[in-house]
Amino acid sequence: KKTTKRWQIWVEQSKYDLDAASLSLQNGFHEWASFQSQQCVEKVLKAVIVKAGYRAPKIHKLAILMSFCNRSNDKFRNTKFEFRDIEAFTYISRYPFLIPGENSSPHNYITKDDAEICLAEATTVFNQVIDILNNNY
């Protein structure tokens, strides 16, 4: 019988998203690397919420998820997280016509630099959250 706790499954999926973001970046799918980076952060934050005993909210906004984490873990209040760049790609990385004046697909306007910034932020946030999960409960 599998004994993995639900929060650990959220962490596992978050890590898969981070790995997928890296592969997407390497293969020139910058829009997907950006979105997968956002997904990594979203899911690792949900892991914190679930580990604290709550149900993962059906919310995608990282700032709102972070506020839930702040309420469930004092260590979050004292940790600086940088995710502003990632949050901008929640939707624009997946759908055309969301940016005014852009009449092309996200693949054409999300750059390698955008994807690299998102991946770097996601990696940092993931590592910070894992440190908190492993050392502060």
Side-chain angles (χ1 to χ4, degrees), residues 12-77:
E12 182 179 282
Q13 188 59 52
S14 175
K15 179 67 168 101
Y16 289 139
D17 290 342
L18 187 62
D19 292 344
S22 180
L23 291 171
S24 291
L25 176 61
Q26 290 170 27
N27 288 289
F29 297 102
H30 305 135
E31 75 282 20
W32 281 109
S34 301
F35 178 64
Q36 289 162 326
S37 295
Q38 186 278 339
Q39 286 290 287
C40 165
V41 173
E42 179 180 327
K43 290 170 187 161
V44 81
L45 293 177
K46 288 181 179 183
V48 173
I49 296 164
V50 171
K51 186 170 184 181
Y54 303 100
R55 177 176 284 152
K58 294 180 180 178
I59 295 169
H60 306 291
K61 293 288 289 175
L62 300 182
I64 294 171
L65 291 171
M66 186 61 72
S67 72
F68 283 122
C69 291
N70 283 334
R71 284 188 240 146
S72 66
N73 185 312
D74 289 337
K75 180 76 171 171
F76 275 81
R77 281 187 273 255

